[in-house]
Amino acid sequence: MATAATIRQELEQINASIEQENQTQMQLSQELDEATERQRLRREVDAAKESLAIVRGQNSAFRWSRANVDNDAGGIHKPNAQNPGPQDQGRKQTLNVREGRHSQTKMEANCKKAVSTATMEWKITGMSWLKEALDQTGDSYAWTTQTVSVGSSNFEGRYCPWPLEDIWTAKHEQGHATLGVSVDVDFSQCDNHQKSVIRHRFYIMRQDGQYAQWGQEGQVCERNEDLQDLLLGPDVTSTSQAASGVFGFSHDALLQSEWVSNDTLTVKVELEVRPFTGYSDSSSSSTLVLPKPKQSIEVPEATISSKFLSLFEGEKCTDVTFNVKGE
């Protein structure tokens, strides 16, 4: 049996460890505050960079307009032979008429250029053993062993055989679902306050090897911070209503349906993600919303009048002579 002195020594050691851990905790808390401040400053830098890009784009448009004015190709005072300016009124009769030119500009606003796509295929083999396997591990659902990266988000497949089983989803809420994908946002690649758009389509393979779409195409447009852990799927519900199941089948009924072949369920999910980028013009990777000319074509001035004049004055390129009264 330990003596009182030994117990006191052990107690002193424990108290010393507690004191040391408390000091460590204070240091970690301070470091966390500093890390949070660094993160806040990084977001301010991101916002400043975005504002700088917008201003630069606006300045580029102003430069382009200034060049047009300097070249008399634009502006409210550009030359017009039919309506000369005040400074030309006195010498209207001596002006050489400048023949007009035609220019053509093509532009395109591309809203799809920033969209990333991916296809996830998932097989759950041994579907008749799934409930027992989950009971043994204490899990509520099965999930894919790998994630699929699309844009700035990663997606994980989930299948739950119980229609009223609570599954955690975005904003720390619970919901019900049979089959879906969960969103994991990579905040190092995006701003958590900006919005992203996700489209998803689910397909189930029949016993004949052909896929059929389950449910309608789904779409969400949310801030990135609200997309974190969001569960997407045709029968996802956040209410007390039970999940409807794949094509309306319960798990046990699904096992006997045409959608399970050799005790295997095969799923395909098509994903499309568009991050916040504005829209880009097709001539560059710029994401500014200011349109820029893609191509400008100038048509040279016509020379037919000068050539006809040379025919009259210099008799160039002529082979006919008219004599009138000996002249």
Side-chain angles (χ1 to χ4, degrees):
M1 180 179 294
T3 63
T6 302
I7 296 174
R8 289 192 187 94
Q9 183 179 5
E10 181 182 4
L11 181 59
E12 290 175 358
Q13 292 176 348
I14 293 175
N15 288 333
S17 297
I18 292 174
E19 180 64 23
Q20 183 178 359
E21 292 297 332
N22 285 334
Q23 293 178 0
T24 301
Q25 186 180 79
M26 293 176 61
Q27 181 180 354
L28 291 173
S29 177
Q30 182 179 355
E31 292 176 356
L32 176 60
D33 292 340
E34 294 172 354
T36 301
E37 176 64 13
R38 290 194 297 271
Q39 185 182 60
R40 185 187 67 80
L41 292 173
R42 287 196 298 271
R43 298 295 77 77
E44 288 189 3
V45 169
D46 292 342
K49 286 181 178 179
E50 183 178 348
S51 298
L52 176 61
I54 293 175
V55 174
R56 282 177 173 171
Q58 293 171 338
N59 289 341
S60 178
F62 278 118
R63 291 189 187 98
W64 180 74
S65 298
R66 181 191 64 189
N68 274 352
V69 173
D70 286 339
N71 295 329
D72 284 338
I76 60 176
H77 302 295
K78 69 178 181 179
N80 188 330
Q82 296 179 352
N83 298 290
Q87 70 275 16
D88 298 326
Q89 294 290 346
R91 52 190 178 94
K92 179 177 180 181
Q93 300 302 322
T94 62
L95 287 176
N96 292 324
V97 177
R98 181 180 178 183
E99 299 192 16
R101 295 179 296 177
H102 171 73
S103 64
Q104 180 175 340
T105 301
K106 294 182 179 180
M107 292 175 285
E108 176 183 355
N110 192 333
C111 297
K112 190 177 180 180
K113 189 174 182 180
V115 176
S116 298
T117 62
T119 300
M120 172 194 295
E121 294 189 9
W122 184 25
K123 286 186 177 182
I124 305 177
T125 303
M127 281 285 287
S128 60
W129 290 96
L130 181 60
K131 285 184 177 181
E132 289 75 13
L134 294 176
D135 281 337
Q136 287 177 314
T137 59
D139 294 315
S140 301
Y141 53 84
W143 61 88
T144 53
T145 55
Q146 294 180 335
T147 60
V148 174
S149 179
V150 193
S152 59
S153 298
N154 300 309
F155 294 85
E156 174 188 85
R158 295 185 180 183
Y159 179 89
C160 178
W162 299 290
L164 285 174
E165 184 71 24
D166 290 333
I167 299 178
W168 287 103
T169 182
K171 302 178 183 179
H172 303 288
E173 296 178 353
Q174 289 183 327
H176 310 302
T178 304
L179 180 63
V181 290
S182 177
V183 184
D184 180 22
V185 180
D186 185 354
F187 290 106
S188 66
Q189 300 185 33
C190 63
D191 188 327
N192 59 336
H193 295 298
Q194 292 177 342
K195 288 186 176 182
S196 293
V197 181
I198 301 176
R199 291 180 180 177
H200 53 88
R201 294 175 294 275
F202 283 73
Y203 301 86
I204 311 298
M205 181 182 289
R206 291 194 299 258
Q207 291 180 351
D208 61 3
Q210 299 298 314
Y211 280 105
Q213 184 170 347
W214 170 44
Q216 301 296 319
E217 176 183 274
Q219 175 175 304
V220 293
C221 179
E222 297 285 351
R223 295 191 304 176
N224 290 316
E225 61 183 356
D226 294 331
L227 288 174
Q228 182 63 26
D229 295 326
L230 184 64
L231 192 61
L232 306 173
D235 73 339
V236 175
T237 173
S238 59
T239 65
S240 59
Q241 179 182 356
S244 60
V246 176
F247 291 112
F249 289 103
S250 66
H251 176 76
D252 293 335
L254 185 64
L255 298 177
Q256 309 302 321
S257 71
E258 62 176 328
W259 307 109
V260 174
S261 177
N262 295 325
D263 207 21
T264 300
L265 177 69
T266 304
V267 181
K268 180 172 71 174
V269 184
E270 294 178 347
L271 298 163
E272 296 178 282
V273 177
R274 189 185 194 281
F276 177 85
T277 59
Y279 66 81
S280 61
D281 73 57
S282 60
S283 60
S284 69
S285 59
S286 170
T287 58
L288 299 176
V289 298
L290 296 174
K292 298 181 181 179
K294 179 181 178 182
Q295 185 178 9
S296 181
I297 302 174
E298 287 193 0
V299 178
E301 296 183 7
T303 60
I304 189 170
S305 59
S306 61
K307 290 181 179 179
F308 271 119
L309 183 63
S310 69
L311 290 175
F312 177 73
E313 293 180 344
E315 300 180 356
K316 296 180 180 180
C317 304
T318 63
D319 57 2
V320 177
T321 301
F322 294 92
N323 290 320
V324 181
K325 295 183 180 181
E327 295 181 359

